[in-house]
Amino acid sequence: MHQHPSPDSPSMLRIATASLAGTAIEFYDFFAYGTAAALVLGPLFFPSFSPLAATLAAFGTFGVGFLARPLGSVVFGHIGDRYGRRPVLLGSLLLTGVATVAVGCVPSYASIGIAAPLLLLALRFLQGLGLGGEWGGAVLLTAEHAPERRRGLWSSFPQMGPAVGFLMANGLVLVLSGTLSDAQFTSWGWRVPFWGAGLLALVGLWLRRAVEETPEFRALTETDRRADAPLTEVVRDHWRLLLLTAGAMAVGYAVFYAVTTWSLAYATGRLGVDRTVMLTCVMAAILVKGLATPLVAVLGDRWGRRPLCLAGSAACALWMFPFVALLRTGEPLLITVGCVGALLGMVTVFAVVGAYLPELYAPRIRCTGAAVGYNLGGVLGGALTPLVATALADGSGPPWGVAVYLTVIALVSLGCFALLPETHPVLARARADRGAGTGTGATEAAAPA
């Protein structure tokens, strides 16, 4: 066994904080774009389109970031499995930060014509590449340093990053939209959150500069057991596990972006809810999600990862129709209740996957397998959701089609989790002692550290 920092040691707290800071900054970058896509990018970069088509086009560039994420997880996963988890942490943060600052500098369609949306598309792709690498590096940093009895808790720190990043990005948008006129916000105010990403990236790089390589990777290096071609090994030997993890992750992405991106565009554009009011509703729900994350992770350390993932997926499936009904009322309090319920279902899954996905894959292919599975789930659940939901909601009645779509994704994820094994170290060892088989194709890859 490798020696890990004690559960309460300052070094473990420092490691977890560095992971949290990085994911918060990278998701800040991602969410700043999502909010801008919902509010202003359509008319600025696609002015010849109808309002609906412009929104769809803006969300299309949003989706490109998701399509780039699996490629980023392949590139950075290879680096992480071959050269270490630490280079992934620094390289992914630098790439995303530079691309995000550049988004804030792209002239509008009125200034440079078709080059404007093309530049936006390219920079969004680079953002996605960086974020695709970030999650695997940050989660493995905590999971492979953490003591096994608290691995779920420590691995939930990077999972709090999206909530912190969203609150930072949208808090700034909220201040700007509340203090600037519509003309000022549309002209230059929306760019400020992107420029702020540069400063945040520097802070994140400073926090990560002294982070040590993980014990698991050092052991692989010392014994010369690193994978020569991690992606090839994952696809060839563990393709079923990869597909199951991607399908399992889809529910969290779909629900999260339905709440944070589609509902923002729908409520402000179709229901006439004030932009500031709607942002406040969503931010309140995100705050609850962030606070709930470590609490759910502790339950995962006690009862196992899989039961919580099954419960969270089922809760999402049951809540999508109430979510749409509450959103449709246009009442801020009811909208907030709908969003909170949806995100609590989602976080019941995502609070524990920081420990669960790395535990499903052997250390030599862990950075690639966990990150690619996670980000493929982002394509399935996140890239299409704002687009599909916007199209399904294009009518005069309640957008029940959106509820059906989200419910189906939740049920698919529920089925995938049902086919995955439990990886809680104590339960996994008990299963191994009983000589459990490898029927799912997942068990042979699982190697809890």
Side-chain angles (χ1 to χ4, degrees):
M1 289 292 289
H2 306 293
Q3 293 301 311
H4 297 290
S6 67
D8 303 305
S9 71
S11 59
M12 194 63 237
L13 183 60
R14 188 166 59 246
I15 289 165
T17 302
S19 292
L20 168 61
T23 52
I25 291 163
E26 295 221 23
F27 277 94
Y28 165 92
D29 297 349
F30 216 65
F31 294 146
Y33 189 98
T35 303
L39 298 178
V40 298
L41 293 188
L44 283 175
F45 289 90
F46 307 96
S48 60
F49 292 10
S50 70
L52 174 63
T55 300
L56 285 170
F59 281 148
T61 57
F62 181 71
V64 164
F66 279 101
L67 296 176
R69 283 170 67 165
L71 181 57
S73 64
V74 169
V75 172
F76 284 104
H78 182 88
I79 294 170
D81 284 327
R82 285 292 301 157
Y83 305 107
R85 321 312 192 196
R86 191 171 177 274
V88 174
L89 293 173
L90 301 175
S92 61
L93 183 56
L94 187 61
L95 176 60
T96 310
V98 170
T100 305
V101 172
V103 167
C105 300
V106 176
S108 68
Y109 188 96
S111 300
I112 60 173
I114 192 65
L118 291 177
L119 275 173
L120 205 59
L121 208 63
L123 292 170
R124 184 62 178 164
F125 186 83
L126 292 176
Q127 265 193 326
L129 281 180
L131 193 57
E134 166 62 28
W135 184 85
V139 164
L140 261 61
L141 183 74
T142 50
E144 292 186 346
H145 273 108
E148 68 176 31
R149 68 187 180 89
R150 288 198 179 180
R151 186 177 295 142
L153 173 61
W154 289 118
S155 298
S156 74
F157 272 64
Q159 297 300 86
M160 286 186 269
V164 176
F166 186 91
L167 290 171
M168 287 195 300
N170 288 281
L172 185 51
V173 170
L174 193 62
V175 170
L176 291 168
S177 64
T179 56
L180 301 177
S181 67
D182 283 347
Q184 289 173 320
F185 184 80
T186 303
S187 174
W188 58 267
W190 68 271
R191 298 179 183 273
V192 173
F194 294 95
W195 297 336
L199 180 61
L200 289 174
L202 291 175
V203 171
L205 290 169
W206 179 80
L207 283 171
R208 290 181 165 185
R209 76 198 189 288
V211 170
E212 295 180 359
E213 189 52 79
T214 71
E216 292 295 332
F217 186 78
R218 289 202 303 269
L220 287 173
T221 303
E222 290 164 6
T223 56
D224 198 26
R225 289 185 292 115
R226 290 173 295 169
D228 292 325
L231 181 65
T232 302
E233 193 170 322
V234 168
V235 173
R236 182 189 64 221
D237 300 334
H238 307 298
W239 60 270
R240 192 176 182 213
L241 173 60
L242 189 65
L243 292 177
L244 286 175
T245 50
M249 291 298 97
V251 62
Y253 281 102
V255 171
F256 189 87
Y257 286 102
V259 170
T260 60
T261 302
W262 168 73
S263 71
L264 188 61
Y266 179 77
T268 56
R270 294 290 303 283
L271 303 179
V273 178
D274 181 76
R275 181 172 62 205
T276 302
V277 170
M278 189 59 198
L279 275 172
T280 304
C281 294
V282 173
M283 287 176 65
I286 291 289
L287 179 61
V288 173
K289 170 194 170 289
L291 294 174
T293 299
L295 302 178
V296 175
V298 168
L299 297 180
D301 277 333
R302 179 164 185 161
W303 293 327
R305 327 302 187 202
R306 187 168 170 268
L308 289 173
C309 290
L310 291 169
S313 299
C316 288
L318 293 171
W319 189 252
M320 291 304 96
F321 277 90
F323 163 62
V324 169
L326 290 165
L327 176 66
R328 176 72 181 175
T329 66
E331 293 293 328
L333 181 59
L334 295 179
I335 290 173
T336 304
V337 170
C339 293
V340 167
L343 292 184
L344 285 178
M346 172 260 175
V347 82
T348 304
V349 175
F350 267 46
V352 297
V353 297
Y356 194 21
L357 264 62
E359 288 172 346
L360 282 167
Y361 292 88
R364 59 186 274 114
I365 56 168
R366 183 173 285 161
C367 198
T368 299
V372 172
Y374 186 85
N375 286 293
L376 281 176
V379 174
L380 296 173
L384 295 177
T385 293
L387 280 167
V388 173
T390 300
L392 289 174
D394 183 29
S396 57
W400 298 126
V402 178
V404 172
Y405 173 74
L406 294 171
T407 302
V408 168
I409 291 180
L411 291 174
V412 169
S413 292
L414 181 65
C416 291
F417 278 122
L419 293 171
L420 287 170
E422 177 56 69
T423 63
H424 188 287
V426 176
L427 298 176
R429 279 198 295 272
R431 185 182 66 241
D433 291 342
R434 292 195 301 269
T438 58
T440 64
T443 311
E444 76 265 30

